[in-house]
């Protein structure tokens, strides 16, 4: 998981007041002791040499990885996962997100988490800049000419698609993570041959002694300060004009502030 930089020598998380963004187990992390794979490059030219994009049109997606020479691996790939912090403004983390229960609209169903600065632009604005730079760099590697991207809304929207499209022989081995008690009317079960929920958003608090205490995502509230690990995603979309790409940030793990300082 890579940290965002406020400037070439300072982590953005260190700009939050009273060390609110520090998790006890990572309190000593800094630009000096984190490897290159753990720092999203501040400079756009360095960013283009830090990541690579695996274009998979047959799966309607592209995967974003840290380059092997940066990650220090010879085999396998390390996906780009970025750490963001902020105050929850809006969210929908229900197991089905905004799904209306119909098979036709399963592909549109999303969960989302919207973060704001909570008044600390010094820490939050570098994250908006990093998100925009990641989008631009990825699109350029996909051969899409883009204008410089700015975030005029001053919020960071992390969004994930609820369902995975099931393709026979490709990913039909993936199990559904929806429990029977969460699907009393069998709406998820009825479409599992086409669409499945294959991952959950995880919410957990890190305690001072090192333990991780899981909490239900629905226990989170607007106004909570959170640290989020988010996977960079690329979805290939099509419309009347042809193919286009949607670059997003998919929440994986959400850590609310805890009394662990």
């Amino acid at each position: 998981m890579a940290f965002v930089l406020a400037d070439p020598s300072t982590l953005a998380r260190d700009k939050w007041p009273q060390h609110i963004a520090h998790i006890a187990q990572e309190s000593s992390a800094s630009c000096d002791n984190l490897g290159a794979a753990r720092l999203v490059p501040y400079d756009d030219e360095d960013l283009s040499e830090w990541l690579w994009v695996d274009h998979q049109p047959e799966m309607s997606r592209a995967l974003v990885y840290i380059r092997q020479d940066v990650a220090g691996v010879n085999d396998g790939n390390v996906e780009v996962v970025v750490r963001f912090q902020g105050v929850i403004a809006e969210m929908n983390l229900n197991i089905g997100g905004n799904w209306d229960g119909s098979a036709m609209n399963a592909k549109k169903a999303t969960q989302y988490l919207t973060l704001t600065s909570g008044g600390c632009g010094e820490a939050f604005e570098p994250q908006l800049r990093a998100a925009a730079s990641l989008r631009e760099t990825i699109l350029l590697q996909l051969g899409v000419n883009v204008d410089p991207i700015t975030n005029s809304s001053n919020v960071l929207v992390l969004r994930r698609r609820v369902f995975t499209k099931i393709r026979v022989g490709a990913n039909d081995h993936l199990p559904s993570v929806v429990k029977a008690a969460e699907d009393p009317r069998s709406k998820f079960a009825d479409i599992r041959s086409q669409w499945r929920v294959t991952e959950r958003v995880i919410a957990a608090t890190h305690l001072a002694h090192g333990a991780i205490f899981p909490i239900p995502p629905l226990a989170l509230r607007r106004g909570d300060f959170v640290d989020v690990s988010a996977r960079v995603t690329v979805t290939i979309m099509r419309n009347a004009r042809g193919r286009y790409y949607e670059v997003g940030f998919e929440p994986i793990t959400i850590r609310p502030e805890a009394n662990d300082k």
Side-chain angles (χ1 to χ4, degrees), residues 199-227:
E199 288 187 70
R200 287 179 176 270
V201 175
I202 298 170
T205 297
H206 285 239
L207 304 180
H209 59 278
I212 299 175
F213 183 71
I215 62 173
L218 294 182
L220 299 169
R221 295 291 183 268
R222 291 177 62 179
D224 285 350
F225 182 87
V226 291
D227 178 298

Side-chain angles (χ1 to χ4, degrees), residues 92 94-101 105 108-112 159 162:
N92 184 341
N94 293 323
I95 186 67
N98 60 4
W99 183 43
D100 64 4
N105 290 326
K108 301 178 182 178
T110 59
Q111 297 170 307
Y112 66 87
R159 185 179 286 111
V162 170

Side-chain angles (χ1 to χ4, degrees), residues 43-150:
D43 183 82
D44 288 346
E45 291 184 6
D46 293 337
L47 183 60
S48 67
E49 297 181 353
W50 184 78
L51 61 79
W52 70 281
V53 182
D54 182 11
H55 194 193
Q56 299 183 351
E58 72 282 358
M59 298 293 287
S60 298
R61 70 183 183 186
L63 302 179
V64 185
Y65 297 116
I66 299 173
R67 280 182 26 169
Q68 289 184 334
D69 56 340
V70 175
V73 298
N74 295 320
D75 297 309
N77 294 301
V78 178
E79 64 181 1
V80 175
V81 176
V82 182
R83 294 278 289 278
F84 294 111
Q85 298 88 32
V87 176
I88 297 176
E90 301 288 345
M91 63 181 174
N92 184 341
L93 298 175
N94 293 323
I95 186 67
N98 60 4
W99 183 43
D100 64 4
S102 69
M104 180 177 63
N105 290 326
K107 65 180 179 181
K108 301 178 182 178
T110 59
Q111 297 170 307
Y112 66 87
L113 180 70
T114 301
L115 301 181
T116 64
S117 69
C120 188
E122 188 179 14
F124 196 72
E125 288 172 10
Q127 298 182 123
L128 297 178
R129 176 189 180 278
S133 295
L134 283 162
R135 287 190 179 99
E136 185 175 356
T137 298
I138 290 165
L139 291 173
L140 287 172
Q141 289 202 17
L142 288 167
V144 179
N145 293 319
V146 295
D147 295 325
I149 301 171
T150 59

